[in-house]
Amino acid sequence: MTLAILGVGPIFSSTVAGGAANPQLQFFENFPGKDLVANVAYSKGTLSVHAVNIPLSLSFGYPVVLLSNSSSGGTRSIQFGLYSLNGNTLSLANSASNSWAPSTSAYSWISLITSATQNITPGAWYFALNLLSAGNSSFSLLGNSSINPGNAAPAFVRGRMTASTTAMPASIATSALDITGQDAMRQPYIIITA
Amino acid sequence: MPQLSFQQNYNHMPSFSNAISQGTLSFIPFNIDDSISFKTLNVGMEVTLSSLGNISFTLSLGLYSLTGNSVSLANSISLSRSSNNGLGATTSQLYISATATSATQNITPGTWFWGIVGTSNASLLGDAAWSLYIGSLTNAGNAFPGGFIGGRMTASTNALPESYATSDLDITGNDAMGVPYILLSS
């Protein structure tokens, strides 16, 4: 007997008859459809972090951000951290970074180079971003333009470090994060592709 | 395995309209979180009619899987609309849906791609424009540097290809990378 399978899916790490054992995503983005509002300024050396739910497994291939080239001032770098949350502590699972000089176009995609291979498992993860430069105090990334609530968010979904940093910390206590106000609530657009 | 009753690529209807160029096929990424029966496809459209008469268009959508550097057609559906426009210049914002898939399919979870191409008789009757609603008009100056997340064919076509090499697609600019709203429901 021949079993005909319709719609056997797109990308699988292993395939069994009738469905995939571990379906894989080709991409995940924190703003579905690149549904972006505005340029959002981020101060250099100020790490911001926000929560995402990744519904299926995803190979940590290419984290990509969308940068505004409006600022001058030479070479700058972006650091990305992939964190998991245990209790009240964020732990660094992986990272990526890259350096670039602004181009003449209004916006540029910047792809970051990962430090280790990883097949990200489904679930809640935390994306952290930090920007560094010798010549600029801040940069603009495409992201959201948050409202400015007067009180702290009741559940931890985003925040920023109050201490300046030049590297992704191995761990961050969520109690040490600023979680109040528009500057703490901003999220840059990030897409990870396989 | 759980079944979804719907899957959409935005959490709301986006508000920017992006004109459909006839004969230009675009591939749109679409993540499906669990299995879903392919029953109904919906898009959000803005239809502008500037002349009188019977104007019709068809939007063909193909469901594609990605293997390596090639997309392959797994299923298809088309949405058609015609308007006998006796009112002169009008603009309408609409959901348009269709249910006649080319094959029965329970779509498995993962990343799929919609190939979208539009055709109409508008050139015979005067001005008309069809736009899909997308989330952003941000126009990056460089080609998308990551793995394949869509693009558009540079060669003109009115039909859905059985397969296509992703390396032959334009992946620069919002005209190539814009993502229209798609709602899939079972």
Side-chain angles (χ1 to χ4, degrees), chain A residues 30-102:
Chain A
N30 59 352
F31 291 94
K34 306 176 193 57
D35 193 9
L36 305 167
V37 177
N39 280 343
V40 182
Y42 290 87
S43 300
K44 69 174 180 179
T46 302
L47 186 149
S48 69
V49 59
H50 65 273
V52 295
N53 272 327
I54 299 181
L56 297 170
S57 294
L58 170 67
S59 177
F60 187 45
Y62 301 92
V64 178
V65 297
L66 196 53
L67 177 81
S68 168
N69 287 309
S70 59
S71 304
S72 59
T75 302
R76 67 284 303 271
S77 64
I78 294 181
Q79 301 169 336
F80 172 85
L82 179 68
Y83 285 83
S84 60
L85 179 65
N86 279 307
N88 297 317
T89 302
L90 292 163
S91 300
L92 185 65
N94 215 323
S95 63
S97 65
N98 206 349
S99 298
W100 83 100

Side-chain angles (χ1 to χ4, degrees), chain A residues 56-184:
Chain A
L56 297 170
S57 294
L58 170 67
S59 177
F60 187 45
Y62 301 92
V64 178
V65 297
L66 196 53
L67 177 81
S68 168
N69 287 309
S70 59
S71 304
S72 59
T75 302
R76 67 284 303 271
S77 64
I78 294 181
Q79 301 169 336
F80 172 85
L82 179 68
Y83 285 83
S84 60
L85 179 65
N86 279 307
N88 297 317
T89 302
L90 292 163
S91 300
L92 185 65
N94 215 323
S95 63
S97 65
N98 206 349
S99 298
W100 83 100
S103 71
T104 56
S105 60
Y107 300 99
S108 294
W109 296 109
I110 306 297
S111 178
L112 309 182
I113 302 166
T114 58
S115 60
T117 59
Q118 179 179 352
N119 199 34
I120 304 172
T121 52
W125 292 89
Y126 297 79
F127 289 174
L129 210 66
N130 191 35
L131 296 95
L132 300 171
S133 168
N136 292 78
S137 60
S138 67
F139 311 91
S140 291
L141 297 169
L142 263 293
N144 69 329
S145 180
S146 299
I147 59 171
N148 192 17
N151 58 333
F156 176 67
V157 288
R158 58 185 68 86
R160 66 169 188 168
M161 284 180 63
T162 53
S164 179
T165 182
T166 58
M168 283 290 150
S171 64
I172 305 170
T174 56
S175 58
L177 295 171
D178 172 14
I179 58 171
T180 304
Q182 186 181 56
D183 47 5

Side-chain angles (χ1 to χ4, degrees), chain A residues 6-12 18-20 23-37 55-56 62-66 69 103 105-112 142 189 191-194, chain B residues 1 9-12 14 16 29-34 64-67 74 103-113 134-136 138-149 171 173 177 179:
Chain A
L6 290 179
V8 176
I11 299 171
F12 301 114
Q24 295 281 131
L25 293 175
Q26 169 69 359
F27 75 98
F28 173 81
E29 54 190 350
N30 59 352
F31 291 94
K34 306 176 193 57
D35 193 9
L36 305 167
V37 177
L56 297 170
Y62 301 92
V64 178
V65 297
L66 196 53
N69 287 309
S103 71
S105 60
Y107 300 99
S108 294
W109 296 109
I110 306 297
S111 178
L112 309 182
L142 263 293
Y189 172 78
I191 180 171
I192 298 177
T193 73
Chain B
M1 180 176 289
N9 55 354
Y10 290 84
N11 295 322
H12 64 102
F16 296 105
F30 195 83
N31 280 341
I32 296 178
D33 299 342
D34 255 315
Y64 287 82
S65 60
L66 175 69
T67 302
T104 302
Q105 182 176 359
N106 196 36
I107 306 174
T108 50
T111 301
W112 295 82
F113 293 84
I134 66 172
S136 173
T138 303
N139 204 17
N142 56 333
F144 184 77
F148 179 66
I149 58 163
I171 57 171
M177 303 301 287
V179 177

Side-chain angles (χ1 to χ4, degrees), chain B residues 36-41 77 98-101 104-105 107 184-186:
Chain B
I36 183 169
S37 181
F38 188 8
K39 295 271 182 74
T40 305
L41 192 76
I77 194 168
T99 57
T101 58
T104 302
Q105 182 176 359
I107 306 174
L184 180 64
S185 56
S186 63

Side-chain angles (χ1 to χ4, degrees), chain B residues 3 6 18 43 53 72 108 160 184-185:
Chain B
Q3 291 282 130
F6 75 94
N18 195 32
V43 298
S72 301
T108 50
L160 298 170
L184 180 64
S185 56

